[in-house]
Amino acid sequence: MKAQLLFICSFIVQLASAQAIGSNNEIDSTILICEYIFKQNVDTISNEQYHTANFTLEIGHKCSKYYHKNTDKYQRIKSDPKLFALYSAELQQSLTKSSNHILNFKPLSLEEPLVIYNNFPEGYRTIQDVLFTDHYIYTEENTLQEWSITNDTISILGYLCHKAKCNYRGRDYEAWFTLEIPVSKGPWKFAGLPGLILKVQDTENHYSFTVSSIIKSVIPIEYIEYSGRKYTKIDRKKILKMEIKMRSIGLEQYTQMGTLSESPQLSSGANNQNYDLLEKDYR
């Protein structure tokens, strides 16, 4: 109980000391906003340990933005003193009224820091991510997957969907897209089909993305970099090698070895996980 109270107090202090948004540019406006349930198998032997998260896909006329909405709220609250005051008051009120100091709502946090700007700048992707406490940015060509469309169909959210297959960066995928929404977009880095991708998963069932809602809405799509941070520009494969090493040997050992070590080779005593990254072409 006491440890949890200290954690909440520390959380409030961290929010209070945060700085405002640094670079905040409107890069497009939305025509659709989609919510996807992301599911990741973190133990490929037992097939019983899954991590799930809800991601938002803002689809614009020229580009799209894929991000975690609660993480975005966390960042915006940190940057606005009035919002922070309201949030901290609600947090304190919830703590006061709760039994055994258990909150009746989940505090916001940087639980899913990944942000993908597809076709921004034009012809490229810009990706922001975090490893441990370090913030990284990298760009890559906005290369589309090479899909083959099959005759299989299913219904998702009432939309008739067609099946397509591809191999992308070390994984085989099956996707379901609908011609009823003729937008060549999808979750994460998926795109290039003649309709919106509503579901996609790899054939090993390690990763999946499933749409949960689709709404028509017009709001700005913002490219955001936050002040008070040091964004390190990095190569895509380099950050993948760093991530798999951190996940494989454990965070404590990884930080002791130094975060800039690229080699994914593990020691004989490493705590190997039954897990691999979404993109496997880092090897």
Side-chain angles (χ1 to χ4, degrees):
M1 182 189 305
K2 186 179 295 184
Q4 186 175 19
L5 181 61
L6 289 174
F7 167 77
I8 293 171
C9 292
S10 173
F11 177 77
I12 293 176
V13 170
Q14 290 176 10
L15 284 177
S17 62
Q19 298 182 17
I21 293 176
S23 174
N24 182 18
N25 301 316
E26 183 177 333
I27 58 176
D28 203 348
S29 60
T30 62
I31 55 176
L32 289 175
I33 300 177
C34 306
E35 302 290 336
Y36 287 86
I37 299 172
F38 169 68
K39 188 174 182 180
Q40 169 190 335
N41 187 338
V42 296
D43 189 331
T44 60
I45 292 180
S46 69
N47 286 320
E48 295 177 352
Q49 297 183 31
Y50 286 91
H51 166 74
T52 61
N54 296 315
F55 276 87
T56 298
L57 176 66
E58 295 179 349
I59 300 174
H61 301 274
K62 300 177 295 183
C63 61
S64 65
K65 179 179 179 179
Y66 177 79
Y67 68 101
H68 190 268
K69 189 169 287 186
N70 280 348
T71 299
D72 181 67
K73 289 179 182 178
Y74 172 88
Q75 300 287 15
R76 293 177 186 275
I77 285 174
K78 289 201 306 181
S79 68
D80 189 316
K82 291 182 180 179
L83 284 178
F84 167 71
L86 291 172
Y87 172 74
S88 58
E90 182 180 0
L91 189 65
Q92 182 59 46
Q93 184 179 29
S94 175
L95 178 63
T96 301
K97 292 182 177 181
S98 63
S99 61
N100 298 323
H101 298 282
I102 298 176
L103 294 175
N104 58 18
F105 77 99
K106 183 180 180 180
L108 300 172
S109 67
L110 283 170
E111 54 185 299
E112 295 286 350
L114 174 68
V115 183
I116 301 175
Y117 299 89
N118 284 296
N119 205 39
F120 179 78
E122 186 175 358
Y124 291 85
R125 298 188 190 104
T126 300
I127 295 92
Q128 299 174 346
D129 209 348
V130 176
L131 283 184
F132 189 33
T133 58
D134 299 319
H135 299 267
Y136 295 94
I137 292 179
Y138 68 89
T139 59
E140 61 179 2
E141 291 186 4
N142 194 27
T143 305
L144 302 179
Q145 294 79 29
E146 296 182 2
W147 298 98
S148 60
I149 299 175
T150 75
N151 294 323
D152 299 329
T153 61
I154 61 172
S155 178
I156 300 176
L157 294 185
Y159 294 97
L160 177 65
C161 295
H162 301 265
K163 185 178 181 179
K165 298 180 179 181
C166 77
N167 179 277
Y168 186 65
R169 294 178 176 172
R171 290 187 182 273
D172 293 319
Y173 291 97
E174 299 176 347
W176 298 93
F177 69 97
T178 179
L179 296 173
E180 298 176 43
I181 306 177
V183 176
S184 184
K185 303 293 183 183
W188 190 60
K189 299 179 181 181
F190 295 111
L193 285 165
L196 179 65
I197 298 173
L198 302 191
K199 181 176 181 178
V200 58
Q201 65 184 40
D202 71 302
T203 55
E204 295 178 295
N205 200 29
H206 293 171
Y207 292 89
S208 67
F209 308 78
T210 306
V211 72
S212 58
S213 71
I214 305 169
I215 62 171
K216 293 182 179 180
S217 181
V218 180
I219 63 171
I221 298 179
E222 298 176 305
Y223 177 82
I224 301 175
E225 291 183 16
Y226 292 90
S227 62
R229 284 185 180 172
K230 179 182 178 182
Y231 287 89
T232 301
K233 292 185 178 181
I234 196 168
D235 173 79
R236 180 182 69 88
K237 288 189 177 181
K238 182 174 182 178
I239 193 173
L240 292 177
K241 290 178 181 179
M242 292 164 58
E243 181 178 359
I244 194 62
K245 184 170 186 177
M246 182 181 74
R247 291 180 179 274
S248 297
I249 67 178
L251 179 59
E252 182 177 357
Q253 184 178 348
Y254 174 78
T255 53
Q256 291 174 353
M257 294 177 64
T259 60
L260 293 181
S261 176
E262 294 185 43
S263 172
Q265 298 298 317
L266 308 178
S267 65
S268 58
N271 180 24
N272 296 309
Q273 298 186 42
N274 305 313
Y275 165 86
D276 204 350
L277 301 179
L278 187 55
E279 296 173 289
K280 298 167 66 176
D281 62 338
Y282 58 85
R283 296 180 177 91

